[in-house]
Amino acid sequence: MAEPGRIRVLLVDDHQVVRRGLRTFLQVQDDIEVVGEASDGEEGVARAEELRPDVVLMDVKMPGLDGIEALRTLRDLDNPARVLVVTSFTEKRTVVPALRAGAAGYVHKDVDPEALARAIRSVHSGHVLLQPEVALALLSQEDGGGQGRGGSLTEREREVLALIADGRSNREIARALVLSEKTVKTHVSNILMKLDLADRTQAALWAVRHGIGA
């Protein structure tokens, strides 16, 4: 059983060597504990439902149910785990669907071990984490949705959007603006509707591209 206060992590990768390497590194982190492993997406979903980890490290290319379908399944099940995709595939056709399916972050498998630990802590805190090349892939996929619609945002919505671009969670935004989390959620929904965007990641990238926030 994981110790109180530690980030509970589930490893989902079809390569045992990769899982072993991740476990070996993560088990020396004082605030992170690996609570389980899975070798494909179907097993990963089942283990995530059983163990209720805080963070899932998910590969994309796996036999059977792949990582993107596993992400969609976890989203449909309202599983609260934050999913950090750790993969060797960073092409647009892989990055974009993974993020649209609900990934909270996306890093390459050659990421520095300490950077991976920071990424786990970041997504666990509610942030969206993208390596620079991944962010560029998403930006290049924009079809102009939301272009010219920023003028329809209220001043408060622009403040919320700036904090989304800064990687803040709803709780952090509520604290910064002295609002309830429910009110922040309403503002976020209004922002996505007005800009014709699908999720917070798109909103953050739209904000950066249009000079709002980070």
Side-chain angles (χ1 to χ4, degrees), residues 11-211:
L11 308 178
V12 184
D13 194 293
D14 60 321
H15 293 101
Q16 185 178 10
V17 172
V18 172
R19 298 198 309 273
R20 184 181 300 127
L22 290 171
R23 178 182 283 275
T24 298
F25 167 69
L26 294 176
Q27 69 185 8
V28 303
Q29 303 298 309
D30 292 337
D31 59 340
I32 298 173
E33 183 161 356
V34 177
V35 296
E37 299 181 14
S39 59
D40 57 44
E42 184 174 359
E43 184 184 6
V45 170
R47 295 289 278 165
E49 284 290 281
E50 172 194 354
L51 298 170
R52 309 301 275 189
D54 300 308
V55 176
V56 177
L57 299 190
M58 180 87 73
D59 191 11
V60 171
K61 301 294 184 181
M62 294 182 289
L65 193 73
D66 66 17
I68 293 173
E69 286 303 318
L71 272 161
R72 292 180 180 134
T73 302
L74 288 173
R75 182 185 60 192
D76 292 343
L77 290 170
D78 289 325
N79 189 288
R82 302 275 290 172
V83 179
L84 176 63
V85 173
V86 183
T87 182
S88 56
F89 297 91
T90 55
E91 299 91 342
K92 296 174 189 175
R93 65 178 182 272
T94 303
V95 174
V96 175
L99 292 170
R100 299 228 193 286
Y106 198 113
V107 297
H108 197 273
K109 277 185 177 176
D110 66 1
V111 65
D112 177 83
E114 292 297 335
L116 176 60
R118 289 194 297 272
I120 291 171
R121 297 180 187 113
S122 180
V123 299
H124 177 249
S125 297
H127 297 165
V128 174
L129 186 141
L130 305 176
Q131 288 184 315
E133 63 270 24
V134 175
L136 287 173
L138 262 189
L139 283 171
S140 68
Q141 283 286 308
E142 280 195 335
D143 60 5
Q147 186 75 24
R149 295 177 182 158
S152 66
L153 298 176
T154 66
E155 185 59 34
R156 178 63 86 188
E157 287 166 351
R158 290 177 72 86
E159 291 175 338
V160 171
L161 181 57
L163 291 171
I164 291 174
D166 194 40
R168 306 289 189 90
S169 65
N170 283 352
R171 178 173 299 179
E172 290 170 327
I173 294 173
R175 188 180 301 120
L177 299 180
V178 194
L179 300 171
S180 70
E181 284 192 59
K182 183 177 180 181
T183 298
V184 171
K185 288 179 181 178
T186 299
H187 284 313
V188 173
S189 295
N190 289 339
I191 289 166
L192 297 180
M193 179 183 66
K194 289 181 178 181
L195 298 181
D196 192 25
L197 301 173
D199 52 41
R200 294 172 72 95
T201 301
Q202 286 188 11
L205 294 169
W206 188 95
V208 172
R209 169 167 279 188
H210 294 89

